[in-house]
Amino acid sequence: MTVKIPTPSAPPSPHEAVKEASMLKQKEMIARNYELLTGTAENGRKVVSTFVPGNLNELVMCFDMLNNLPEINAIQNGMKKLSGGYIEEAEKRGHSEDVCTYVKADLGMMAKGNLAPNGKPLPRPDLLLLSYTGCFTFMKWFELLREQYKCPTVMLHVPYQGDGHATQNMRDYIVKQLKDEVIPALERASGVKFDIDRLREYLRESARAEDDLVRVLESAKRKPSPIDAYFGGVFYIGPIFTAFRGTPDATEYYRLLRAEVDERVRRGLGPVTPEGDMKSQRYRLVVEGPPNWTSFREFWKMFYDEGAVVVASSYTKVGGLYDRGFRHDPDHPLESLADYCLGVYTNHNLPQRVALLEQYMREYEADGLLINSIKSCNSFSAGQLMIMREIEKRTGKPGAFIETDLVDPRYFSAANVKNRLESYFQMIDQKRQTATAA
Amino acid sequence: MIDTNKTTAAIVARCQELFDDLEFGSAREWKEAGPNRRVVAYMPIYVPRELIHAAGMLPLGILGGGENLEVIHGDAYYQSYICRIPRSTLELGVTGRLDFVDGFLFPSICDVIRNLSGIWKLLFPKVYVRYFDVPQNFDDEIGGRYYVQELTELREGLERLGGVRVTDEALRASTALYNENRRLIRELYAVRAEAPWLAPTSEVYLLLRAGMVLPVEEHSQLLRDYLAAVRAAPRPRRDNCRVVLNGVFCEQPPLNLIKAIEMSGCYVVDDDFTLVNRWLLDDVPLAGDPLRNLASAFLHRSAETSAKYQPDEAKKGKFLVDSVRSNGAEGVIFAAPSFCDPALLDRPMLESALDRVDVPHIGFKYAENSAQMQPVREQAGTFADSIKLWSAP
Amino acid sequence: MNCYIGIDLGSTTTKSVVMDDGGQVLGRGITNSRSNYDTAAAVSKQEALIDARFTLLRRGLEGAPSLKGKVDAFLGDLERHFRHVQFLEQLDDLEQTARRNGRGLRFAGQEQALGEALGEVFRRLREESEALFAPGARRRSDFFRDIAGSRFMALAEPLCKEAGLSFDLMLNVYDKSIIEVENRPPSGAMQGKFLRALELALGAGGGAGDAVAHPVRAALEIPLEEAYVVGTGYGRVRLPFPKEHIRSEILCHGLGAHIMYDGTRTVLDIGGQDTKAIQVDKEGIVENFQMNDRCAAGTGRYLGYVADEMKMGLHELGPLAMKATKTLRINSTCTVFAGAELRDRLALGDKREDILAGLHRAIILRAMSIISRSGGIRDQFTFTGGVAKNEAAVRELRKLVKENYGDVTININPDSIYTGALGGAAFARRAVQA
């Protein structure tokens, strides 16, 4: 008797039907980065582990170090349906079922060989760069990783915009940490001396790509929208939020992407979905909260099957609000990094988040706000019901609330989510009918 | 002649009354007793109450709604996977129980409390709301400089709120009062660690909670009275084991849970209840710049807890291990609120630290309104029995 | 005539409502939801059509002078006979199915004894059915499974003993057969059954002869055309309906509540699966809704769990809770923890009724939070769903509504279980007439 072993699926791409140049480019970039990361024994590169929000990629590059992002590994594992097993492994080892599943997926993955998506083991980091931005759990996560790796760790504490704005004191504090702690730690770990002009060069490169990203995201103001700013958006932000910001590769990616989106606009096409071009756009939504990764495809399908397109999302701002004008600034390199860290979406206070979503609702002429509330992520989730209330009150547009998780398959109930989405879309329909009748 | 108002029973009854009062009658009375009086509430774990006091205001500790508050509207703001303290705190707010509060400080403890600060801003626009961020960098020139500026901003905010000046002189006087209060609490903890049968934790806890709502002067007097009463009235010693209770620094366990632990054979000899009372480990110097002194105490002489970063891996868990040793504890009970990120993420690391030095531990979760005590009694009872077995000659 | 039909596939029961061109409700039907939603939908629809037929009969007979003042009695009689005829038909089906299932290898050597025993059980069931459908007799349920099942057990056990047959074997045959019978689409021929019932009713001393038979026959002649069917409810996605025939239960509940009470602005529905709070505008259009989150706290299931834990019937909880002298505070809205808290309370010596009163308050508190989440209560407030039949739950709800929202009109319709189906039927009507 033979047992058929299912082959693990490749990371899903939104462009499977039509492979566009940008998609191929990104796939190649990610694959190459994992090859570099898993090949440090041969290539001799040093590795820094750090987080996505407010990451210091340009600074890390100044030390010829590679950037390994545990959230990205967790997402990869979620999409490949491996995270469930990893989470259970971590829970078996004493982690509570109550806490963040990114953390548990990461720790479980370590316990099970720490394999990268290319099947090779990830290296031990030479430095843990704890960029504590917008998420309390990051701090505990790196303490837990440090306990495993016993490697040097440096903390970058980014204060929260409690009063809805960054202060000079916050900026000074971050710059001082960069100068006195982070840069020396990177120098020690890499053996490379810091060169601020090199940093300027990378920041200049970042800003170029950032311009194109904004153009792509804002294309969703058109009707029909040529992109989906959530399900497609998570792919568009990939390079700039992770290990590629500041590289010519990223600039090239966004140049390609921008050209493709411009072309879609010219041809009046809707977004690309896994099942081809989206035809009708009946509902325009703003989405708050991260997506679910374990059932990403199924989740997305619930939207495009109903003709729902996401025109703006907050999740695509966890790596910076470029669309509100922020750019990395080569003339003020460290200050610009500080502003970058301070300005990521999850470091904004609740009234700021409400204001931003309200602006999106209006600027993108959305029919409603959908909140995907993630069990793991209190930074996002605690207060989302307040956000919904406020947006409904301020815009008069209906909100909807669904609950899933990032990478824990136990918290994705397709029937539940579908039921609520259907009810929501029908409600929008009904309201529209009465509005036209009136 | 024993003053009947100053027996342990009378003092504890007074504390219980304050504890049960979800309308915060004593704080309301304080406010009404004088013109332009201001009350500034704060949540766990730490705010520099000296500053509030120096502005002539009453610091009021809000630790959720406890087990007796029915939460209706508070629940409307939170998903089921979020702990209970923000819901019950909001319930207190939207039902008008905190309508006399002029300011509210939300310390940096976790993302839930952090975001609650924003909800409060949206719901109560007239209240002075501040998210009180503390440094996670403990270098005087980096975290220290940042923190002094944060304290300065808080001072200015309070000055605007009260229309007053907070002078250095006033701040020194307030610091002295809080130094004394902390000294008395340290003394209370020392008494309990030495002879826990004299000062049961259910009583110590209520005394600490009284410190959340009373003016510091009054609370210090209550502590002095209790210490005197305890020394005057011997109580029988039981054959209990000695434990440290950890994880109770934010959402509070129900009083019955504390009693259940004690009744099942455990003396609690240290804990992390109401850390604001003991956050600074020794006296804050009075000479020199008062804000710098507060900052320095925070950076170098403050308690360790899950919400605070430990830069040195080797020292992770040391604070707890030291407490076990110095208080002669035989084990640790981890009790954490359900869905408490800081406590639950920290616990495995603290457990490893205890394992390395062979300190036994157990753990469970609670909510401020947990009602089923049987599992707690069983676990704590079994733990106490097993400790006695191990330590038997 | 045109019929607009709404079918609400709930997790425990499936409901149908038939509406006419003028928006009047003609009939309602209910059946237990089965593993097979298609059949449940078909059965409930048929029941609603039967009920509609009775409405037409009533309309027809109201003009008959010989029945003046006796229409109710006559229709009651007719229905009784109709149900009896229907019951006997289903019983035949069950017997044939059971006999078929009683053959085969497993029963080798016992086939004959089994066949005889089955024959005897069904003979007696038929015999008993006379009394069961006699005038004034009370049946504890109208679902065939409930009526036939309990009597089958009672009759089969002694018979098996006598015949030396294994009772388990017999049960096995029954279980298999009842599922088959239940999941068979209902036979369509209603006309014949009505005529047979009419004969019986007239024969049994209805006494009015042709003066009655004529309008009855005329009413039976009216064709009931299914102009449009809308499906809703938990199981709607499993229906073989085209998409435009499906509406979410939220929309249907909102509209259904509006039709029942046109002043409705806030609807609370506590069902077996979930709890919903719905805000509707003055036309019954949904403006906002909230459902319980992933957690089952505050749904009917919570009470089901409590009933199991206390080894009581679900319908017994409310009456016992009404006897409470005080309401204990039960803090665990968590379905799983409620059991532990319950046991803890019982161990402490608290009275069952006081605990139950607390549990009812707990479930309503949870519902109040969901209402608050949806925007609070606006006058008028309509409460629907299975839990709306529970008097202890209703009492707590009234108290809490008053405490939190003051004097608000609270509507609870005895037919509230049909709210979703009613909304569905109204949508069906709009789909054709709009």
Side-chain angles (χ1 to χ4, degrees):
Chain A
M1 196 179 127
T2 55
V3 180
K4 193 162 184 248
I5 298 165
T7 41
S9 59
S13 81
H15 298 214
E16 210 131 281
V18 197
K19 287 257 190 261
E20 291 184 306
S22 68
M23 195 63 218
L24 294 171
K25 171 82 184 164
Q26 180 169 179
K27 262 193 137 148
E28 180 265 319
M29 283 158 71
I30 292 170
R32 186 150 38 87
N33 194 51
Y34 273 118
E35 283 303 316
L36 282 171
L37 275 170
T38 53
T40 48
E42 297 83 47
N43 65 33
R45 299 280 292 270
K46 303 281 187 190
V47 174
V48 53
S49 272
T50 193
F51 293 111
V52 170
N55 75 65
L56 303 173
N57 199 53
E58 299 89 343
L59 189 65
V60 169
M61 292 196 322
C62 291
F63 301 91
D64 298 323
M65 293 179 89
L66 295 170
N67 193 344
N68 184 22
L69 300 148
E71 302 113 299
I72 301 300
N73 297 334
I75 291 172
Q76 292 280 348
N77 289 325
M79 284 190 152
K80 289 162 72 189
K81 314 253 182 237
L82 293 169
S83 54
Y86 291 157
I87 291 164
E88 278 166 33
E89 178 66 29
E91 288 177 1
K92 253 188 276 169
R93 289 163 182 256
H95 289 275
S96 169
E97 70 258 37
D98 290 358
V99 300
C100 172
T101 55
Y102 266 176
V103 178
K104 286 184 288 189
D106 191 28
L107 294 171
M109 170 172 131
M110 279 178 74
K112 290 199 160 187
N114 219 6
L115 296 182
N118 62 9
K120 301 176 197 167
L122 285 164
R124 298 175 70 84
D126 299 285
L127 179 69
L128 291 170
L129 168 55
L130 168 47
S131 54
Y132 171 36
T133 302
C135 164
F136 173 85
T137 298
F138 283 156
M139 194 166 92
K140 296 288 116 180
W141 191 346
F142 264 27
E143 282 188 354
L144 285 159
L145 287 184
R146 183 180 64 184
E147 191 187 35
Q148 301 286 318
Y149 288 127
K150 309 274 182 207
C151 70
T153 306
V154 64
M155 146 79 94
L156 175 68
H157 173 210
V158 177
Y160 182 64
Q161 295 198 26
D163 280 335
H165 54 87
T167 65
Q168 192 56 41
N169 188 38
M170 295 174 184
R171 246 173 237 122
D172 294 346
Y173 176 43
I174 297 170
V175 169
K176 187 107 176 107
Q177 289 179 80
L178 290 174
K179 279 187 185 155
D180 294 1
E181 307 221 323
V182 176
I183 290 172
L186 284 161
E187 285 180 329
R188 280 193 300 276
S190 65
V192 174
K193 187 100 189 73
F194 177 57
D195 171 2
I196 198 156
D197 290 327
R198 209 174 150 185
L199 178 61
R200 288 183 210 275
E201 204 37 60
Y202 293 140
L203 294 175
R204 194 164 291 125
E205 192 74 43
S206 294
R208 277 183 207 125
E210 288 158 2
D211 284 341
D212 282 342
L213 170 70
V214 169
R215 165 105 171 195
V216 167
L217 292 176
E218 294 193 332
S219 72
K221 288 181 181 169
R222 295 172 178 274
K223 291 181 185 176
S225 169
I227 62 161
D228 184 290
Y230 188 54
F231 295 104
V234 300
F235 293 94
Y236 305 151
I237 58 171
I240 215 153
F241 282 12
T242 62
F244 308 103
R245 200 181 58 245
T247 67
D249 266 341
T251 311
E252 173 65 6
Y253 168 82
Y254 286 101
R255 196 187 60 74
L256 289 171
L257 180 65
R258 173 179 169 167
E260 286 159 10
V261 171
D262 284 350
E263 178 61 12
R264 299 193 78 76
V265 170
R266 202 184 57 76
R267 295 169 57 199
L269 293 176
V272 189
T273 75
E275 295 179 54
D277 289 341
M278 189 172 165
K279 293 288 178 307
S280 78
Q281 296 190 2
R282 301 175 57 204
Y283 315 103
R284 293 169 64 84
L285 302 178
V286 172
V287 173
E288 147 75 18
N292 164 277
W293 300 109
T294 48
S295 304
F296 186 83
R297 280 279 188 96
E298 196 182 355
F299 192 29
W300 188 359
K301 188 171 164 54
M302 292 178 195
F303 288 75
Y304 62 72
D305 273 357
E306 297 283 339
V309 62
V310 181
V311 289
S313 66
S314 57
Y315 180 68
T316 51
K317 312 295 154 29
V318 288
L321 273 77
Y322 297 112
D323 62 334
R324 301 288 114 169
F326 174 80
R327 292 291 181 279
H328 282 91
D329 178 3
D331 295 333
H332 306 91
L334 295 182
E335 294 74 11
S336 158
L337 287 176
D339 282 340
Y340 175 62
C341 294
L342 281 164
V344 301
Y345 181 72
T346 43
N347 207 45
H348 282 214
N349 79 356
L350 228 59
Q352 284 174 291
R353 284 170 64 187
V354 169
L356 182 71
L357 290 167
E358 185 192 351
Q359 286 163 16
Y360 284 165
M361 291 286 294
R362 297 189 197 283
E363 290 171 16
Y364 289 80
E365 296 180 56
D367 296 304
L369 172 74
L370 177 93
I371 294 180
N372 183 35
S373 174
I374 292 293
K375 175 197 172 253
S376 275
C377 189
N378 286 339
S379 176
F380 259 106
S381 302
Q384 279 176 331
L385 285 157
M386 179 79 214
I387 290 178
M388 186 169 72
R389 238 175 225 228
E390 281 293 309
I391 294 293
E392 285 179 339
K393 196 173 78 188
R394 295 182 192 187
T395 66
K397 298 281 167 67
F401 204 79
I402 52 177
E403 293 180 40
T404 68
D405 190 48
L406 297 165
V407 290
D408 191 339
R410 296 170 298 186
Y411 285 88
F412 187 84
S413 160
N416 247 323
V417 172
K418 200 167 162 39
N419 187 11
R420 280 173 207 214
L421 285 177
E422 262 181 39
S423 301
Y424 181 57
F425 295 143
Q426 289 181 15
M427 181 170 84
I428 294 177
D429 269 342
Q430 216 189 18
K431 281 194 167 181
R432 251 188 221 154
Q433 282 164 18
T434 36
T436 36
Chain B
M1 201 56 217
I2 294 169
D3 181 346
T4 50
N5 287 323
K6 294 194 171 177
T7 62
T8 53
I11 295 165
V12 171
R14 159 111 170 99
C15 295
Q16 177 86 46
E17 209 179 298
L18 292 167
F19 173 75
D20 288 336
D21 180 9
L22 292 174
E23 304 291 332
F24 304 96
S26 75
R28 283 175 189 274
E29 275 167 34
W30 179 89
K31 181 168 172 162
E32 279 155 21
N36 297 324
R37 284 193 165 189
R38 300 272 190 270
V39 175
V40 176
Y42 60 91
M43 288 199 73
I45 41 177
Y46 171 73
V47 296
R49 293 181 296 181
E50 292 85 345
L51 272 171
I52 303 169
H53 186 271
M57 303 176 187
L58 177 71
L60 174 70
I62 299 295
L63 284 80
E67 58 188 311
N68 288 320
L69 183 72
E70 278 184 342
V71 172
I72 293 175
H73 304 288
D75 255 356
Y77 294 89
Y78 288 104
Q79 303 89 321
S80 55
Y81 51 76
I82 287 173
C83 57
R84 196 167 191 273
I85 186 169
R87 328 166 177 265
S88 57
T89 303
L90 265 179
E91 187 79 16
L92 292 174
V94 295
T95 54
R97 290 174 167 97
L98 297 176
D99 57 5
F100 64 100
V101 166
D102 305 286
F104 211 141
L105 305 182
F106 295 85
S108 154
I109 177 169
C110 73
D111 294 331
V112 172
I113 300 299
R114 184 195 76 182
N115 290 3
L116 181 58
S117 72
I119 295 185
W120 219 272
K121 276 179 190 276
L122 289 167
L123 283 178
F124 307 101
K126 287 185 190 143
V127 176
Y128 167 67
V129 173
R130 186 172 172 89
Y131 172 68
F132 185 69
D133 215 350
V134 292
Q136 298 288 3
N137 174 300
F138 306 101
D139 184 304
D140 285 307
E141 284 309 306
I142 307 172
R145 194 184 285 188
Y146 163 74
Y147 190 49
V148 169
Q149 183 55 33
E150 287 296 300
L151 290 172
T152 306
E153 284 178 24
L154 175 60
R155 178 187 196 159
E156 289 163 0
L158 292 169
E159 286 178 340
R160 278 193 301 276
L161 176 66
V164 291
R165 293 277 305 143
V166 178
T167 63
D168 281 2
E169 223 29 68
L171 200 43
R172 278 188 203 102
S174 300
T175 305
L177 284 171
Y178 278 97
N179 275 344
E180 188 199 15
N181 188 261
R182 285 187 284 262
R183 240 177 352 248
L184 286 161
I185 289 172
R186 284 198 296 275
E187 193 180 331
L188 177 64
Y189 270 60
V191 166
R192 183 183 64 169
E194 194 178 314
W197 53 93
L198 290 181
T201 294
S202 54
E203 292 184 9
V204 169
Y205 174 69
L206 286 172
L207 273 157
L208 295 175
R209 288 295 298 263
M212 301 294 96
V213 296
L214 291 178
V216 61
E217 302 85 344
E218 211 178 312
H219 186 237
S220 292
Q221 187 54 46
L222 204 63
L223 290 166
R224 276 189 289 270
D225 291 345
Y226 181 78
L227 283 164
V230 156
R231 283 169 179 136
R235 294 181 183 188
R237 176 179 184 168
R238 294 204 297 168
D239 182 26
N240 281 6
C241 72
R242 299 166 60 88
V243 301
V244 171
L245 183 61
N246 184 279
V248 292
F249 50 84
C250 184
E251 180 175 325
Q252 300 295 288
L255 189 56
N256 275 334
L257 190 144
I258 301 169
K259 289 178 179 167
I261 290 174
E262 293 193 295
M263 279 180 330
S264 54
C266 299
Y267 281 136
V268 177
V269 293
D270 196 15
D271 58 52
D272 52 3
F273 283 121
T274 64
L275 279 178
V276 68
N277 280 321
R278 290 168 296 128
W279 183 256
L280 304 181
L281 299 175
D282 24 49
D283 282 1
V284 179
L286 299 178
D289 180 343
L291 292 187
R292 276 188 182 285
N293 288 341
L294 278 173
S296 171
F298 179 91
L299 296 178
H300 308 298
R301 291 297 298 159
S302 61
E304 199 99 320
T305 182
S306 311
K308 194 171 137 191
Y309 181 58
Q310 171 49 263
D312 183 353
E313 209 263 320
K315 286 188 184 155
K316 186 72 198 174
K318 184 174 179 294
F319 192 80
L320 177 61
V321 170
D322 287 352
S323 160
V324 169
R325 294 217 165 110
S326 64
N327 291 299
E330 297 157 288
V332 171
I333 294 181
F334 289 104
S338 292
F339 306 109
C340 175
D341 270 351
L344 292 171
L345 285 163
D346 219 30
R347 191 192 278 181
M349 291 182 277
L350 297 179
E351 285 174 342
S352 314
L354 294 175
D355 290 341
R356 284 195 292 273
V357 292
D358 289 326
V359 174
H361 51 84
I362 54 162
F364 49 79
K365 291 189 289 190
Y366 64 83
E368 62 179 8
N369 66 337
S370 298
Q372 65 275 29
M373 291 303 148
Q374 192 49 34
V376 172
R377 284 193 292 269
E378 253 171 57
Q379 289 179 70
T382 311
F383 188 56
D385 290 347
S386 60
I387 284 177
K388 280 176 218 156
L389 274 175
W390 289 326
S391 59
Chain C
M1 68 190 298
N2 282 335
C3 292
Y4 306 97
I5 302 177
I7 306 179
D8 176 6
L9 283 108
S11 57
T12 40
T13 55
T14 296
K15 286 79 61 174
S16 288
V17 164
V18 177
M19 190 177 267
D20 68 11
D21 272 317
Q24 293 295 310
V25 172
L26 285 179
R28 302 183 181 87
I30 183 166
T31 186
N32 43 342
S33 298
R34 309 155 158 84
S35 50
N36 185 338
Y37 277 115
D38 281 0
T39 307
V43 171
S44 77
K45 187 172 82 183
Q46 192 188 57
E47 286 295 319
L49 287 168
I50 291 168
D51 193 36
R53 186 65 74 186
F54 276 103
T55 306
L56 295 178
L57 288 168
R58 177 179 297 279
R59 288 182 187 169
L61 290 169
E62 264 156 10
S66 60
L67 272 186
K68 206 167 174 65
K70 289 190 283 190
V71 174
D72 282 345
F74 175 77
L75 283 176
D77 228 27
L78 189 66
E79 174 160 18
R80 193 165 57 74
H81 287 295
F82 178 84
R83 293 290 171 202
H84 192 191
V85 171
Q86 197 185 21
F87 180 76
L88 289 174
E89 187 183 286
Q90 284 173 298
L91 213 52
D92 283 345
D93 187 11
L94 183 62
E95 178 170 6
Q96 278 166 28
T97 309
R99 283 179 182 275
R100 242 191 341 270
N101 286 332
R103 289 185 209 121
L105 218 52
R106 287 186 62 191
F107 307 100
Q110 300 186 69
E111 280 190 18
Q112 194 176 346
L114 188 67
E116 281 166 16
L118 280 171
E120 185 56 22
V121 172
F122 280 99
R123 192 189 64 74
R124 292 194 195 176
L125 275 171
R126 272 187 211 97
E127 200 175 279
E128 279 190 4
S129 73
E130 295 292 336
L132 205 58
F133 291 93
R138 287 185 63 86
R139 297 179 292 279
R140 55 176 269 261
S141 162
D142 275 325
F143 296 159
F144 178 68
R145 175 194 269 267
D146 297 341
I147 313 172
S150 59
R151 289 309 300 155
F152 183 95
M153 311 289 166
L155 292 170
E157 191 161 17
L159 275 169
C160 284
K161 208 174 262 177
E162 270 171 44
L165 272 172
S166 149
F167 179 52
D168 283 347
L169 201 67
M170 185 73 120
L171 274 187
N172 199 295
V173 170
Y174 170 80
D175 286 342
K176 198 161 174 247
S177 308
I178 190 83
I179 289 172
E180 281 182 37
V181 169
E182 267 197 337
N183 286 323
R184 233 191 302 283
S187 76
M190 284 297 127
Q191 194 86 350
K193 273 175 269 193
F194 271 107
L195 291 173
R196 173 82 192 118
L198 179 63
E199 247 170 66
L200 291 167
L202 294 176
D210 273 358
V212 171
H214 186 73
V216 168
R217 288 210 171 85
L220 289 177
E221 296 290 307
I222 301 173
L224 294 176
E225 310 274 3
E226 290 178 22
Y228 205 93
V229 181
V230 160
T232 185
Y234 200 72
R236 65 180 185 273
V237 288
R238 313 247 294 265
L239 280 175
F241 286 8
K243 215 171 148 180
E244 59 274 21
H245 283 256
I246 291 180
R247 294 285 185 289
S248 80
E249 65 243 55
I250 301 286
L251 256 60
C252 290
H253 255 87
L255 187 56
H258 168 77
I259 293 171
M260 285 180 176
Y261 303 99
D262 61 8
T264 299
R265 281 302 206 283
T266 303
V267 186
L268 172 67
D269 178 80
I270 309 186
Q273 279 291 333
D274 49 38
T275 296
K276 312 183 253 285
I278 306 168
Q279 306 287 350
V280 294
D281 69 8
K282 59 184 192 308
E283 310 293 338
I285 305 299
V286 175
E287 294 186 310
N288 201 337
F289 69 93
Q290 285 292 322
M291 293 164 85
N292 58 300
D293 40 36
R294 288 181 39 83
C295 163
T299 70
R301 192 187 301 176
Y302 177 79
L303 286 178
Y305 196 87
V306 168
D308 289 349
E309 193 70 41
M310 287 195 151
K311 304 217 173 2
M312 290 172 67
L314 190 55
H315 59 283
E316 294 169 305
L317 296 180
L320 184 56
M322 292 301 281
K323 294 188 183 136
T325 48
K326 58 178 173 179
T327 303
L328 289 174
R329 192 182 304 293
I330 303 292
N331 288 326
S332 302
T333 43
C334 171
T335 312
V336 182
F337 289 148
E341 187 164 348
L342 196 67
R343 287 190 292 275
D344 222 27
R345 292 282 189 181
L346 286 170
L348 289 169
D350 285 324
K351 285 197 289 193
R352 287 181 357 140
E353 51 266 41
D354 296 346
I355 299 172
L356 273 179
L359 285 163
H360 281 86
R361 186 167 176 87
I363 183 176
I364 295 299
L365 278 170
R366 210 35 222 155
M368 291 296 292
S369 295
I370 294 167
I371 294 173
S372 174
R373 203 182 268 193
S374 79
I377 288 178
R378 298 176 302 163
D379 204 19
Q380 297 171 6
F381 173 58
T382 301
F383 181 27
T384 67
V387 177
K389 291 200 181 305
N390 179 317
E391 49 189 328
V394 170
R395 180 178 63 179
E396 287 308 321
L397 183 74
R398 287 189 188 281
K399 266 193 264 177
L400 282 163
V401 168
K402 192 162 171 67
E403 280 168 28
N404 286 277
Y405 301 100
D407 284 315
V408 172
T409 307
I410 300 177
N411 305 311
I412 301 173
N413 193 302
D415 286 325
S416 82
I417 195 161
Y418 293 104
T419 309
L422 178 63
F427 275 119
R429 185 167 155 257
R430 284 185 189 182
V432 174
Q433 294 184 350

